[in-house]
Amino acid sequence: MSIDVRPSEDPAKYLATDQLVWFGEVTDADAEHLRLGLPADQRFVVDLPDGPDDLHSGIYGVRPMEMSLPGGSVVPIAGLTWVGVHPDARRRGVLAAMMSDHLARTRDAGTALSALHASEAAIYGRFGYGTAVLTHQVALGRGTTFTAPHLEAEAAATTTHLLDMAAPGVTERMRACQLAAAPDFPGTIVGSPDFFALMAHEPPEQLRDKERRRILFARRDGQDVGFTGLRREHKWENARPSGTVVVGTFCGDPAARLALARRVVDLDLMGTTKLENVGLDDPLLGWIGGPRGTGSLQTWDSTWVRLVDVEAAWPLRSYEADCDVVVEVSDRYAPWNAGRWRLTASSGAGSATRTDAEADLALDVSVLGAGYLGHPIGGLLRAGLVQEHRPGSYADLARAMRTTVAPEPSIGF
């Protein structure tokens, strides 16, 4: 059965379908605000002939975003989000049809990359997405000591300022700061101004007994050089304050991050600082002497990346080692990528060209997505996810794609 995917024409029905799939609480402000950063022409739906009458059989949306790549370029990407299938329409090909539609539309728009945060890790590898970034969730005790002797002068010249995230001009400052820092931190994803406004919007029904989100800026020489978001939670034990401050993504140069980290572990009435999005090579673990300097540390997947157009995507980033390999790429949902490609990297620059030469190795396009931001992928050969025909060819590819520092986790979208 052919499944038609078309642009949404009924915002209320689109929103209602999303809220059924995600079973979130509906508030009066949802219709006006939940779609911020999700343009009307980037909402798509499926209606099966025998599907539900009052809701769509499936929906998805695309946020216009930018992502920084190894080498410092910041390029447009399709931020896939709001993917959902009605419970009565599952196992009927709706998701596959929507994913194929998304990839075709993205390619037609001239965008080479798609990215997402996966609600369930088992889903998106099937559609060519690779786990490109990992992130740590770290718990620290109040007063944790950070040791960084070669950053002390810069950190001492950095001041921190706590503001309400919803205050006028704050989200604009956040976005400008993130854009300025992005080239030095590959993997950073920057949303539209509306997306930042969405982060700051918290109607009373959602807050109840929660503190509003705060933003902590780091400033140096009168300029914003970093920020992080936070929310405090009250708790008292044995007549002692032992609250938790939940801290979001750090943005900024290392000295700015050091100043921010020192501030968030020394807030009054708090006993624990929970850092929700710390990159694998974030300097924080070095400042506290390694993983055992934490109260707890957990590792999760962050950004998943999909090469929508191999030929266009390959030269967008830089490469830290040379390679020249012929790769047989499998790609069920973007068939224009399937076949043999000569992938080269020389003096930092890459190119991808079609070839009839004998393949050195064979892999699914998701492997290229997993390594695209610099995350190490050498172990996938041992895992049996890559087939090598010429010994050493996969090592050449993996070394070329890997970066000295692991890619940056992104804010969830």
Side-chain angles (χ1 to χ4, degrees):
M1 179 182 68
S2 176
I3 296 178
D4 178 51
V5 184
R6 59 179 178 79
S8 170
E9 298 174 350
D10 186 338
K13 188 174 180 179
Y14 183 91
L15 178 63
T17 304
D18 176 79
Q19 290 173 326
L20 172 69
V21 171
W22 292 94
F23 46 90
E25 180 180 356
V26 180
T27 71
D28 293 339
D30 285 343
E32 181 181 355
H33 294 290
L34 276 187
R35 291 184 296 275
L36 281 170
L38 189 61
D41 64 352
Q42 294 299 314
R43 307 171 198 161
F44 303 96
V45 302
V46 168
D47 290 305
L48 296 179
D50 57 349
D53 294 328
D54 55 336
L55 298 174
H56 297 297
S57 297
I59 63 169
Y60 81 86
V62 179
R63 297 192 189 278
M65 311 187 95
E66 298 173 272
M67 182 167 68
S68 59
L69 306 182
S73 61
V74 180
V75 304
I77 64 165
L80 184 63
T81 188
W82 283 53
V83 181
V85 177
H86 192 288
D88 295 339
R90 295 179 68 244
R91 310 298 184 195
R92 298 177 64 181
V94 172
L95 178 58
M98 293 194 300
M99 295 303 297
S100 296
D101 181 80
H102 167 60
L103 296 173
R105 289 180 190 272
T106 301
R107 184 193 186 215
D108 290 346
T111 303
L113 299 164
S114 176
L116 57 82
H117 281 247
S119 54
E120 295 188 57
I123 296 175
Y124 291 98
R126 303 199 310 266
F127 300 105
Y129 289 81
T131 309
V133 185
L134 298 179
T135 186
H136 290 318
Q137 292 186 358
V138 178
L140 300 174
R142 182 172 180 182
T144 295
T145 299
F146 300 100
T147 304
H150 301 296
L151 292 176
E152 290 299 343
E154 272 192 288
T158 304
T159 58
T160 59
H161 305 264
L162 186 66
L163 298 171
D164 188 327
M165 194 181 289
V170 166
T171 56
E172 290 86 349
R173 289 172 59 185
M174 291 169 61
R175 187 172 188 273
C177 189
Q178 193 180 43
L179 272 173
D184 294 328
F185 295 88
T188 300
I189 294 181
V190 184
S192 66
D194 278 348
F195 175 71
F196 274 83
L198 175 63
M199 286 192 287
H201 177 74
E202 296 182 288
E205 300 95 326
Q206 293 178 354
L207 282 173
R208 295 202 172 100
D209 60 347
K210 296 179 182 177
E211 178 186 28
R212 286 195 175 276
R213 290 193 185 101
R214 309 290 182 182
I215 187 76
L216 186 65
F217 280 108
R219 292 177 61 81
R220 192 181 307 129
D221 299 324
Q223 302 293 321
D224 295 330
V225 292
F227 71 83
T228 191
L230 62 89
R231 195 197 309 268
R232 294 165 295 182
E233 300 173 358
H234 278 289
K235 185 178 180 181
W236 294 78
E237 288 184 341
N238 299 322
R240 295 177 178 88
S242 54
T244 297
V245 54
V246 180
V247 180
T249 300
F250 282 101
C251 172
D253 61 36
R257 294 180 184 215
L258 178 59
L260 292 168
R262 285 174 170 167
R263 179 73 185 278
V264 299
V265 298
D266 194 27
L267 293 171
D268 291 341
L269 306 181
M270 299 293 107
T272 300
T273 300
K274 181 180 178 182
L275 308 176
E276 290 199 313
N277 210 16
V278 176
L280 296 196
D281 282 334
D282 191 284
L284 181 133
L285 292 181
W287 296 335
I288 60 175
R292 283 194 288 174
T294 70
S296 67
L297 184 151
Q298 295 178 298
T299 302
W300 309 98
D301 53 298
S302 177
T303 314
W304 292 60
V305 169
R306 215 290 186 188
L307 274 63
V308 176
D309 186 326
V310 169
E311 185 175 19
W314 191 258
L316 291 178
R317 57 157 291 182
S318 68
Y319 298 87
E320 296 186 9
D322 292 352
C323 75
D324 188 344
V325 295
V326 176
V327 181
E328 183 83 37
V329 176
S330 299
D331 195 337
R332 177 180 177 185
Y333 292 95
W336 52 85
N337 284 331
R340 291 181 189 174
W341 294 92
R342 183 183 179 193
L343 302 181
T344 65
S346 179
S347 300
S351 68
T353 55
R354 285 285 185 184
T355 181
D356 293 325
E358 185 175 347
D360 296 319
L361 54 99
L363 48 75
D364 185 78
V365 71
S366 61
V367 174
L368 299 179
Y372 189 73
L373 295 177
H375 177 69
I377 55 172
L380 299 182
L381 179 63
R382 291 182 177 179
L385 300 176
V386 176
Q387 184 178 23
E388 189 176 58
H389 304 304
R390 175 171 65 82
S393 59
Y394 185 63
D396 290 344
L397 178 69
R399 273 194 296 266
M401 297 188 75
R402 184 171 182 172
T403 52
T404 301
V405 177
E408 190 83 348
S410 60
I411 298 171
F413 57 89

